[in-house]
Every structure is written in C-alpha cells, then in structure tokens.
Amino acid sequence: MAAVDFSHLLPPSAVAQLVRSWLAEDIPSFDYGGAVVGDKHGTASLWGKAKGVLAAVPFFNQVFEELQCKVVWLVKEGEWFDPSTQANGRVHLATVTGPVRNILMGERTALNIIARACGIATQARIVKGLAEAVKWKGKVAATRKTTPGFRLVEKYAISVGGCDTHRMDLSSMVMLKDNHVWSQGSITKAVGRAKDVAGFSVKIEVECQSEQEAMEAIAAGADVVMLDNFKPAQLPEVCQRLKAHAPHVLLEVSGGITPATVSQYFAVCDHVDILSMGNLTQSVPHIDISLKINK
C-alpha cells in the first residue's frame, strides 16, 4: 500500500488563515529587529538537534510562503531524524531562502509549530511501535485534549506519527460523558436525546464506569462504548462479555494511560478496538530544532 500523504487532508485556506493569525500575533505592529537586518537575501538551515519524527511541514511551509520565502526539504515528513548519526550532532532538515528579515520574521513562529508537532508525532510513533511489536490490532487514538488554536496542527501530527486522531471536535461525533448522563438522569435518556438531535450519520459514544453501564449504553443504541479508568486486570473478562453480547459495538479503553503503562493494556486488550491516550498531546516534550542563517 502506498504511503499516505497527510497534507492532502488539509484545506489550504484553513492553514493559511491559522498561519496569518499566528504571524499577526507575533508581529502586531513594527518589526524592529527586521529594520536592523534590511532586505538582503540569504539562506537559513533548519537543524534537528534531537531525535524525532518530522511533522507539520505544510504549516512550516505556509509561514514562509506568507513571507515570500522558499523552503526546500532534505528530510521527508513522517521520517525519523537522528542527530546521533551525524558527525556534527545535528540533522540538516531543510533550507529557507529569501529576504533575511523575512526569514527572521517567521523564525520563531515556524519553530514553535514544528518543535511541538514533531514532539507529538514522535510520541505517537513510539506508542504505535509498541502496539506493532506485540501485534495488537486495535487503534491507538488521541483525545480532544489539545491546545486551543493549535488543534489542527496537533491532530495532524498524530496522523503523521501513525495514530488515530479520534474525534476532531464536538461536531464530529457525540461523546456522552458523566456530566451529560447526570444532566439527563440516565445513560438511556442521554443516548435517546442524542439520537433525536444527531441524526443517522453521527456516531454516539458513551463513557462508562462499569460493565453494567456499558450494557445499558449498548441497549440504548450506542455505537461506541468507552471503558473509562478500568485497570488492565479488569479488562479481559469484561471486554470478552461485552463483545460476545454486542460484537457490532466498538469498545474503547481510556483513562490515565501513558507510554510507560500502555504495554500493560496491549497485553490484555484482545477484544478492544480503540485505546485512547490524552498523553499523546499533553505533556509531550518538544523536539529541539533550530533555524540558523548561513554565514
């Protein structure tokens, strides 16, 4: 199967709108440093100084397109880069050419984007590798725990890293959590109300704290049942019974799972379809990347 070009997911207008807003935030009026540099043309090198998976190339490109600069990539998006393989301790990822003051105008915005996106893609690739190592067949997914104004980049990085984005936003799918259920009085009532408003094309997922709640959600017509904060030891028997009862319903496991503990879940989740982790986008270390003007 040919590799997926995830950049084809992105509406160009959405990327441009985001980048323009970020540049406007960073340069609301005068660019004093740019006045010092002037209009001479030059080239800058993008260096990867820590091991990671390259992600957010379309967003990085858009920053410099807005500033009349050209980017040429030496590493493909989705590939690993490892400075330990280089004699100088860094990997040449790309070159940026254009007016030097424009390069510097976009430098910090572009680096902020790519450093975080590479961190997320790297985390996703590591967890995906753990799943593949034990031949776990389900989907590893992110959550909606993303940075306001930066979700598109973060979800994109999850895809590049090889994991599932899960729902993009509140409009993508109905997820009934404890507060939704409490407001209606029961899972059955909450699912019924969701069906009334969502229509046939929108899936309904219910967060459940017990096997009994999961059975109620299935009976009410949920498409996906999330087993929230279950311990690994609880899952095999519960999931087997739920799948035997309703093989058409997707089972998701979530709650407090980290890269350090995820293998415990892979080992016992044969009947689980989705394992979701907020940790894929929260508390993710950024990858050390720099942009330096060539002398």
Side-chain angles (χ1 to χ4, degrees), residues 1-288:
M1 182 182 294
V4 176
D5 185 345
F6 289 104
S7 69
H8 293 165
L9 288 169
L10 296 168
S13 59
V15 176
Q17 182 178 1
L18 280 172
V19 167
R20 286 167 190 158
S21 72
W22 296 329
L23 288 171
E25 177 186 52
D26 202 37
I27 318 165
S29 56
F30 294 139
D31 175 24
Y32 297 107
V36 173
V37 173
D39 277 331
K40 66 179 181 179
H41 274 61
T43 299
S45 294
L46 185 70
W47 297 101
K49 300 191 291 182
K51 185 177 180 180
V53 173
L54 183 62
V57 164
F59 299 92
F60 188 95
N61 287 346
Q62 187 66 38
V63 170
F64 290 106
E65 183 177 324
E66 294 290 331
L67 297 169
Q68 296 80 52
C69 298
K70 181 180 180 181
V71 183
V72 176
W73 289 94
L74 306 175
V75 175
K76 291 182 179 179
E77 185 167 65
E79 289 184 350
W80 281 100
F81 55 90
D82 186 356
S84 69
T85 64
Q86 305 298 311
N88 63 358
R90 55 186 185 171
V91 177
H92 195 183
L93 302 175
T95 59
V96 182
T97 304
V100 172
R101 76 181 185 94
N102 290 20
I103 295 174
L104 297 180
M105 232 183 260
E107 174 191 10
R108 177 42 54 197
T109 298
L111 288 176
N112 286 347
I113 293 166
I114 202 167
R116 176 150 178 78
C118 288
I120 291 170
T122 301
Q123 184 93 301
R125 185 66 56 81
I126 289 170
V127 175
K128 176 73 170 179
L130 293 173
E132 291 175 342
V134 295
K135 295 181 171 56
W136 189 69
K137 302 301 183 184
K139 296 281 188 182
V140 179
T143 68
R144 204 163 51 85
K145 295 175 181 176
T146 55
T147 308
F150 206 65
R151 179 177 297 174
L152 189 63
V153 180
E154 293 173 345
K155 292 284 195 176
Y156 181 81
I158 287 291
S159 294
V160 171
C163 289
D164 194 286
T165 60
H166 211 300
R167 61 175 177 162
M168 292 294 291
D169 46 53
L170 289 174
S171 302
S172 301
M173 183 176 77
V174 179
M175 183 181 288
L176 301 174
K177 301 174 79 69
D178 50 9
N179 286 321
H180 299 93
V181 171
W182 294 337
S183 73
Q184 284 299 301
S186 73
I187 288 173
T188 301
K189 289 181 179 179
V191 172
R193 180 62 63 87
K195 285 180 174 292
D196 288 341
V197 298
F200 72 90
S201 65
V202 181
K203 284 186 177 180
I204 298 173
E205 178 168 6
V206 181
E207 178 186 271
C208 300
Q209 311 297 324
S210 67
E211 183 177 354
Q212 181 181 0
E213 288 187 355
M215 286 294 192
E216 182 182 354
I218 291 169
D223 302 291
V224 187
V225 167
M226 178 198 289
L227 302 177
D228 190 40
N229 289 313
F230 278 58
K231 301 297 183 184
Q234 297 175 280
L235 291 169
E237 292 186 5
V238 171
C239 293
Q240 187 173 13
R241 286 193 292 267
L242 292 174
K243 273 294 184 182
H245 175 69
H248 63 286
V249 172
L250 295 175
L251 296 183
E252 177 178 344
V253 169
S254 190
I257 304 169
T258 70
T261 63
V262 70
S263 292
Q264 299 173 31
Y265 291 85
F266 292 147
V268 297
C269 286
D270 289 343
H271 298 284
V272 171
D273 302 289
I274 307 132
L275 195 154
S276 58
M277 303 170 58
N279 193 269
L280 290 178
T281 51
Q282 288 192 318
S283 305
V284 174
H286 292 194
I287 300 299
D288 190 4

